[in-house]
Amino acid sequence: MNESAKAGSGYPIRAVERVCDILDLLQIEPEGVSLVAVTAATELPKSSAYRYLLALEARQYAERDADTGLFRLGPAYRPQRARQLGRLLECAHPALEQLRNKVNETVNIGVLDGGEVVHVAVIESQQMMRLAARVGERGPVHATALGKVIAAGMPEENVRTILSGHGMRTFTPATIVTAEAFVRELARVAKLGYAIDDLEAQDDGRCVAVPLPGLPFLAGLSVSAPSSRLSNDGVPLVVTRLKKAATAIVKAYERSPL
Amino acid sequence: MNESAKAGSGYPIRAVERVCDILDLLQIEPEGVSLVAVTAATELPKSSAYRYLLALEARQYAERDADTGLFRLGPAYRPQRARQLGRLLECAHPALEQLRNKVNETVNIGVLDGGEVVHVAVIESQQMMRLAARVGERGPVHATALGKVIAAGMPEENVRTILSGHGMRTFTPATIVTAEAFVRELARVAKLGYAIDDLEAQDDGRCVAVPLPGLPFLAGLSVSAPSSRLSNDGVPLVVTRLKKAATAIVKAYERSPL
DNA sequence: GACAATAGTTCCATTGAGCGGAAGAGAAGT
DNA sequence: ACTTCTCTTCCGCTCAATGGAACTATTGTC
């Protein structure tokens, strides 16, 4: 903490201060704290403290003990997650590049976080015209192939909670916008073993994804391309390659040192 | 991360989302990211991303690599700090209670964080009228005894940075409000081996503090009381007891399992 | 050295995101 | 049943935060 006692940003943002105050407190109270205790310690108005805690909970930086209802640090704050992710990315890299070279399109790994899909690896197509998210970019579960394969591995109840919490925004005329239709799509996905974003997130983009099973978190592997280059006819071949790469990635992860 | 895929808080706070987005990104980029990369990944306007990063840096949730200038997770995010703190609090508890019982006033441990003093342990006097901060409460370095003993252990340059970043608010007529006077006070503190908040933070409160040396972070131990009960004449005895307790605490910490 | 491009930093008029008090609901204790 | 305390919800209001633009610094190329 005093590794650098330097201070003063010149850019105080009250909300950031408040988040940090709360996270600081949760760090020094590993057994958890009540809302009243948070209020007292941070001197925030109670309703503000409550809203912040819920917002942090939604992003898994805080969680609630089921029995006591006390707030404590959440999974997002646990370093093992970062380590596990780092490990996955390391293991996956060779297979990702190989896959990218085989299909000549952008390949991605996405993981579930706070009810959204985060792109944690993006190996871009070398073509000029390409569909490519950036590392760290987030997308909704309901309109992305990655989101679909991830959601297909979750209990339906949890899927519905995510959908109602995040909404089902319409990106294109093809976007699935009702929970019922989405749940039906997930049944299809689970059966087929892969998902397609068929012009649902972008009018001219198509994406195919398969799950990465057996990891300590929900993740998927996908190929994304302009729709002109990835037709529905071409999907089966891409799926075959995705599944082969997914198998290689998971095997490499399982073999990697802890 | 998917330990609980539950989502949806009903209380989105955009600023909290933004903090979490940035922290998420920093977690998956251990070598660090540039402002431009943060901007791209989070889709924040550049100046907003910049301000958030600086605000997080001020609270040590982010830091900058001295050579590359890249932002990465800061010390506040490192679990070993929480563990070290937890360990200190555990070791200190018996000595704190004993000290509280001896002096019959509230005893505190404070640590430096983001240019302020955080109370991380507060064992309250059993008297009805008492001066007692709460765990997690923060105070300014310049007007607290804990702040003084901590600052006395820092390079003067760093002290000045803290003072200019946080300001030197006037709490009472006795508050030291210029950097020059404060630096002189610190020289006195360093020489004496203890510090007094002599009605500087509160009109009717007095506080005596000694450093806790040899810890992996800057910390101090203090006794706080209504001024009517802690006269200047009584300070030397309290200092003796504080130093004895500080020695016991540090010894216990050093002996405790890692 | 000159120029261009890019990254980082600062500023401020504007406004809507966030606020916090109050009310309501729930839980616990007598 | 009543009281007290904690947790949860709501909404009119305002000011903290915003983000675009300008400026500064750095890097790369010729």
Side-chain angles (χ1 to χ4, degrees):
Chain A
M1 188 165 23
N2 77 327
E3 296 161 51
S4 128
K6 209 153 20 188
S9 65
Y11 275 106
I13 301 178
R14 192 174 65 165
V16 177
E17 295 289 320
R18 289 176 163 189
V19 168
C20 294
D21 285 346
I22 291 172
L23 291 178
D24 282 351
L25 179 62
L26 295 184
Q27 281 196 62
I28 64 176
E29 296 282 357
E31 319 80 27
V33 280
S34 66
L35 172 63
V36 172
V38 172
T39 299
T42 58
E43 292 182 351
L44 292 178
K46 191 166 52 162
S47 57
S48 294
Y50 185 69
R51 284 187 300 105
Y52 273 81
L53 283 165
L54 262 66
L56 287 168
E57 190 186 11
R59 294 297 297 264
Q60 303 194 48
Y61 280 85
E63 71 181 3
R64 271 195 256 196
D65 186 283
D67 299 326
T68 60
L70 300 182
F71 291 94
R72 61 192 176 207
L73 285 178
Y77 207 87
R78 292 179 190 142
Q80 71 213 78
R81 185 179 72 145
R83 272 202 292 269
Q84 283 163 349
L85 252 185
R87 205 173 121 206
L88 172 67
L89 299 186
E90 221 175 291
C91 299
H93 211 264
L96 285 181
E97 289 212 321
Q98 203 172 3
L99 178 61
R100 189 274 310 271
N101 294 341
K102 276 227 171 94
V103 298
N104 201 12
E105 299 295 353
T106 300
V107 298
N108 316 275
I109 290 183
V111 301
L112 185 75
D113 181 45
E116 290 181 298
V117 179
V118 187
H119 287 76
V120 294
V122 181
I123 312 277
E124 293 192 15
S125 166
Q126 293 177 334
Q127 306 194 53
M128 250 208 230
M129 165 62 85
R130 60 187 175 264
L131 181 59
R134 290 182 185 86
V135 171
E137 265 189 16
R138 311 175 78 85
V141 166
H142 76 283
T144 57
L146 282 169
K148 289 180 187 177
V149 290
I150 287 170
M154 286 164 61
E156 184 180 320
E157 175 194 326
N158 291 356
V159 176
R160 286 183 185 272
T161 303
I162 289 177
L163 296 181
S164 64
H166 284 260
M168 298 184 73
R169 178 173 150 198
T170 305
F171 294 93
T172 73
T175 312
I176 299 171
V177 291
T178 69
E180 302 310 326
F182 190 65
V183 169
R184 280 198 304 274
E185 172 75 358
L186 294 192
R188 242 178 43 96
V189 167
K191 191 167 177 181
L192 292 174
Y194 68 89
I196 313 186
D197 158 10
D198 205 2
L199 318 190
E200 286 156 62
Q202 333 233 16
D203 278 325
D204 50 0
R206 195 168 272 125
C207 199
V208 189
V210 296
L212 288 171
L215 301 182
F217 41 79
L218 288 168
L221 171 68
S222 71
V223 166
S224 51
S227 53
S228 54
R229 289 210 303 264
L230 181 51
S231 65
N232 282 314
D233 288 347
V235 164
L237 179 58
V238 170
V239 169
T240 301
R241 291 195 161 133
L242 275 170
K243 283 180 172 175
K244 189 171 281 192
T247 301
I249 287 167
V250 172
K251 277 208 166 93
Y253 182 86
E254 283 164 354
R255 276 192 312 250
S256 70
L258 288 165
Chain B
M1 189 166 21
N2 78 325
E3 295 160 50
S4 125
K6 205 146 36 182
S9 67
Y11 276 108
I13 302 178
R14 191 173 67 164
V16 177
E17 295 288 320
R18 288 178 162 188
V19 169
C20 295
D21 284 346
I22 290 172
L23 291 178
D24 283 352
L25 178 63
L26 295 184
Q27 280 196 62
I28 63 178
E29 296 281 358
E31 317 82 24
V33 279
S34 66
L35 172 65
V36 172
V38 173
T39 298
T42 58
E43 292 182 351
L44 292 179
K46 188 165 59 162
S47 57
S48 295
Y50 184 68
R51 284 187 298 103
Y52 273 82
L53 284 164
L54 261 67
L56 286 168
E57 189 185 13
R59 292 297 296 264
Q60 304 195 44
Y61 280 85
E63 71 181 1
R64 271 196 256 198
D65 186 281
D67 300 325
T68 61
L70 300 182
F71 291 94
R72 62 194 175 204
L73 285 178
Y77 208 87
R78 293 180 190 141
Q80 73 215 76
R81 186 182 72 147
R83 272 202 289 271
Q84 284 163 348
L85 252 186
R87 204 174 123 205
L88 173 67
L89 299 186
E90 219 176 295
C91 297
H93 210 266
L96 285 179
E97 288 213 321
Q98 202 172 6
L99 178 60
R100 189 273 311 272
N101 294 341
K102 274 225 174 91
V103 298
N104 201 14
E105 299 295 354
T106 300
V107 298
N108 315 276
I109 291 185
V111 301
L112 184 75
D113 182 44
E116 289 179 300
V117 178
V118 187
H119 287 76
V120 295
V122 181
I123 311 276
E124 293 192 16
S125 165
Q126 292 176 333
Q127 305 193 56
M128 249 209 231
M129 166 59 89
R130 59 188 176 265
L131 181 60
R134 291 182 185 89
V135 171
E137 264 190 16
R138 311 174 78 87
V141 165
H142 77 282
T144 57
L146 282 169
K148 288 179 186 179
V149 293
I150 287 169
M154 286 164 60
E156 184 181 317
E157 174 195 326
N158 290 356
V159 177
R160 286 184 184 273
T161 303
I162 290 178
L163 296 182
S164 66
H166 283 259
M168 297 182 75
R169 179 173 150 199
T170 305
F171 294 93
T172 73
T175 312
I176 299 172
V177 291
T178 69
E180 301 311 325
F182 190 66
V183 169
R184 280 198 302 275
E185 172 74 357
L186 294 192
R188 243 179 41 96
V189 167
K191 190 167 178 179
L192 292 174
Y194 67 88
I196 314 186
D197 159 11
D198 206 2
L199 319 192
E200 289 157 59
Q202 331 232 17
D203 277 325
D204 49 1
R206 195 166 271 126
C207 198
V208 189
V210 298
L212 288 171
L215 301 182
F217 41 79
L218 288 168
L221 171 69
S222 71
V223 167
S224 52
S227 53
S228 53
R229 291 212 304 265
L230 181 52
S231 66
N232 281 312
D233 288 346
V235 164
L237 180 59
V238 169
V239 169
T240 300
R241 292 197 160 131
L242 276 169
K243 284 182 173 176
K244 188 171 283 191
T247 302
I249 288 167
V250 172
K251 277 209 167 88
Y253 182 86
E254 283 165 353
R255 275 192 315 248
S256 70
L258 288 166

